[in-house]
Amino acid sequence: MRYVPGQRVNYKNYSAQIVFYYPSYKKGKDAYTIKFFKDGTEFHRLCVEEELSEEMQIQFDDILK
């Protein structure tokens, strides 16, 4: 399991949150249910791990160095 429920991730151009984890969903790939907002509407979607990326947080200390 790469992501845990409650973790923030990126799905396409949207910030999403992991809701459920499905181990070995199809052909040994892990799947996740995510929720994200698009134009003020909440969506839920089932995604395989390759469709998601970790949300990067920039630390101000790193920018100032």
Side-chain angles (χ1 to χ4, degrees):
M1 174 169 52
R2 183 173 174 190
Y3 305 110
V4 294
Q7 183 176 353
R8 309 266 328 145
V9 295
N10 288 326
Y11 169 71
K12 297 189 179 182
N13 292 329
Y14 302 102
S15 177
Q17 184 176 13
I18 302 292
V19 179
F20 295 111
Y21 167 65
Y22 305 97
S24 299
Y25 179 69
K26 283 188 179 178
K27 299 179 183 177
K29 293 185 179 183
D30 294 340
Y32 301 88
T33 298
I34 62 168
K35 69 176 180 178
F36 64 97
F37 289 92
K38 180 179 178 182
D39 299 327
T41 305
E42 183 176 306
F43 290 90
H44 294 251
R45 179 173 166 84
L46 181 66
C47 300
V48 292
E49 193 168 343
E50 290 79 27
E51 295 179 276
L52 305 172
S53 63
E54 290 190 41
E55 194 170 74
M56 301 297 288
Q57 292 185 350
I58 299 173
Q59 301 293 330
F60 288 112
D61 294 338
D62 295 337
I63 295 171
L64 298 175
K65 288 182 181 179

